[in-house]
């Protein structure tokens, strides 16, 4: 009886190459806000045209300025409440200030600035319309608050505050009004630039 020698042939292997080129790329990781990133926002990477970058930089800068305006508004209200010595009003103003800063700040970034961001990124007219609507909200807020502070009959208005020698409250109110005026001018400039691009694409404000 003969025995077969052990085989010296190595087992074969099959190499499978998976082509991932057809798969969509993974979305970039969130990077905003820096303290707790929840969304992706990178003007310099996402846009190649310098004119687009410039408009979006201005929009983002106006978002930061809007936050500063809200802070000035909140401080003015709190100082006015302290000036008149109303403890309940102080508590109300502190709570409302926190809500203002959170809701209006994130609302401006998500509703106005990001609409413009994705408007340029996707070239969808609806995104630009959302941006214009966000601008209208900013103007409405500034207008309503400014009218209240400029009302000469209002005891918490800037005129009455200085007449009654409530200088600290009057100064913070004046700072808010100054911010509001400057911001209104800058927003109007930005709107004109965006609208010029909007019309150059053949878009119309009314979708009908």
């Amino acid at each position: 009886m003969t025995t077969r020698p052990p085989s010296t042939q190595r087992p074969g292997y099959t190499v499978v190459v998976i082509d991932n080129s057809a798969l969509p790329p993974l979305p970039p990781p969130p990077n905003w806000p820096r303290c707790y990133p929840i969304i992706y926002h990178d003007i310099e990477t996402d846009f190649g045209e310098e004119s687009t970058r410039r408009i979006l930089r201005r929009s983002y800068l106006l978002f930061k300025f809007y936050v500063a305006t809200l802070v000035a508004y909140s401080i003015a209200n709190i100082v006015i409440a302290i000036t008149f010595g109303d403890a309940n009003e102080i508590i109300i103003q502190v709570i409302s200030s926190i809500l203002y800063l959170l809701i209006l700040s994130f609302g401006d970034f998500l509703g106005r600035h990001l609409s413009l961001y994705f408007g340029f990124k996707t070239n969808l007219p609806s995104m630009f319309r959302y941006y214009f609507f966000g601008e209208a909200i900013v103007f409405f807020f500034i207008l309503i608050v400014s009218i209240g502070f400029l009302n000469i009959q209002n005891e918490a208005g800037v005129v009455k505050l200085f007449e009654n020698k409530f200088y600290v409250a009057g100064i913070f109110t004046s700072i808010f009004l100054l911010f509001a005026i400057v911001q209104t001018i800058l927003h109007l400039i930005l709107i004109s630039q965006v609208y010029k691009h909007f019309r150059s694409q053949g878009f119309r404000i009314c979708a009908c």
Side-chain angles (χ1 to χ4, degrees), residues 62-76:
L62 281 177
F63 155 71
K64 294 180 178 180
F65 193 19
Y66 186 59
V67 174
T69 304
L70 291 174
V71 171
Y73 172 68
S74 300
I75 294 176

Side-chain angles (χ1 to χ4, degrees), residues 48-168:
E49 294 186 8
E50 182 58 29
S51 59
T52 301
R53 289 178 179 174
R54 187 162 51 248
I55 291 176
L56 289 172
R57 288 192 205 108
R58 290 172 181 171
S59 177
Y60 187 56
L61 181 63
L62 281 177
F63 155 71
K64 294 180 178 180
F65 193 19
Y66 186 59
V67 174
T69 304
L70 291 174
V71 171
Y73 172 68
S74 300
I75 294 176
N77 281 334
I78 293 173
V79 172
I80 290 172
I82 294 174
T83 300
F84 288 100
D86 190 337
N88 291 331
E89 185 65 21
I90 294 173
I91 296 174
I92 292 173
Q93 290 301 332
V94 170
I95 295 174
S96 62
S97 296
I98 295 173
L99 294 177
Y100 273 128
L101 288 173
L102 291 176
I103 297 175
L104 294 182
S105 296
F106 278 94
D108 183 67
F109 181 84
L110 298 174
R112 184 193 62 81
H113 174 68
L114 274 193
S115 293
L116 183 62
Y117 188 97
F118 285 108
F120 278 109
K121 193 171 184 178
T122 62
N123 204 36
L124 291 175
S126 59
M127 301 306 298
F128 287 100
R129 294 189 186 103
Y130 293 147
Y131 159 76
F132 290 125
F133 181 73
E135 289 285 8
I137 293 176
V138 172
F139 280 116
F140 180 77
F141 169 77
I142 292 177
L143 178 64
I144 294 299
V145 175
S146 298
I147 289 176
F149 280 146
L150 291 172
N151 185 359
I152 60 175
Q153 302 299 327
N154 184 7
E155 290 296 326
V158 64
V159 175
K160 286 289 186 179
L161 290 173
F162 280 109
E163 284 182 353
N164 295 326
K165 299 182 179 180
F166 298 143
Y167 296 120
V168 176

Side-chain angles (χ1 to χ4, degrees), residues 58 131 183-194:
R58 290 172 181 171
Y131 159 76
Q183 185 162 213
T184 299
I185 296 172
L186 294 177
H187 272 282
L188 287 174
I189 295 173
L190 179 64
I191 289 173
S192 65
Q193 294 172 340
V194 175

